[in-house]
Amino acid sequence: MFWFLLIAMVVVVAAVTLVVVGGGDGGGLRDSEPDRLLDPLPEDRPVARADVDAVRLPVTVRGYRMTDVDDVLDRLSAELAERDARIAELEAALAGAHASAMGGPGLIQDGPPVLGPEAEPAPGPGEQESANGPEAPGKRPEGEEPS
């Protein structure tokens, strides 16, 4: 029984050796292709949430491939920096538009003029000015009879 197991083991080792080394017509084992990022982030448009969700980083013996992780992180950081700059630009434009709507210095207001304590109001519709100044509504000058 010992000799039978020894001969069977020698035959198996010889067969495996021939396959690996290429002693047959197969030419040996093919080199394995290294894992690469199959679905990288798009280069022709901004990155969307679905793109980030779809990223699957290839795994190696000691974890993820550092170059692929670095590429993805560099791309995402560039996108975030670009979006932060755009948001800051839009917030500044919104603040400028809000300031101009509130009547910033040197700008024309759309509302009625603001009067100081020494300024007199302009006569409104239906009010007449007399020689003594504007009439108060409902008051007539002295000596005048209603018609």
Side-chain angles (χ1 to χ4, degrees), residues 21-39:
V21 174
D25 57 353
L29 296 176
R30 288 182 288 138
D31 290 334
S32 64
E33 296 178 19
D35 288 339
R36 294 285 179 201
L37 190 58
L38 296 177
D39 193 18

Side-chain angles (χ1 to χ4, degrees), residues 85-145:
R86 180 70 177 146
I87 288 171
E89 177 184 317
L90 292 173
E91 285 177 345
L94 180 64
H98 184 53
S100 67
M102 297 303 288
L107 300 173
I108 300 174
Q109 283 185 322
D110 289 338
V114 178
L115 302 175
E118 65 279 342
E120 293 184 20
E127 294 180 2
Q128 297 176 357
E129 280 192 40
S130 66
N132 296 338
E135 281 187 30
K139 269 188 133 183
R140 290 186 182 76
E142 295 176 18
E144 194 175 298
E145 298 267 339

Side-chain angles (χ1 to χ4, degrees), residues 35-45 47-58 68-69 71-72 75-76:
D35 288 339
R36 294 285 179 201
L37 190 58
L38 296 177
D39 193 18
L41 298 174
E43 295 291 332
D44 58 338
R45 62 178 172 82
V47 176
R49 180 186 171 102
D51 297 327
V52 176
D53 290 341
V55 170
R56 297 292 175 251
L57 298 169
D68 290 335
V69 173
D71 291 344
V72 169
R75 174 69 190 275
L76 291 176

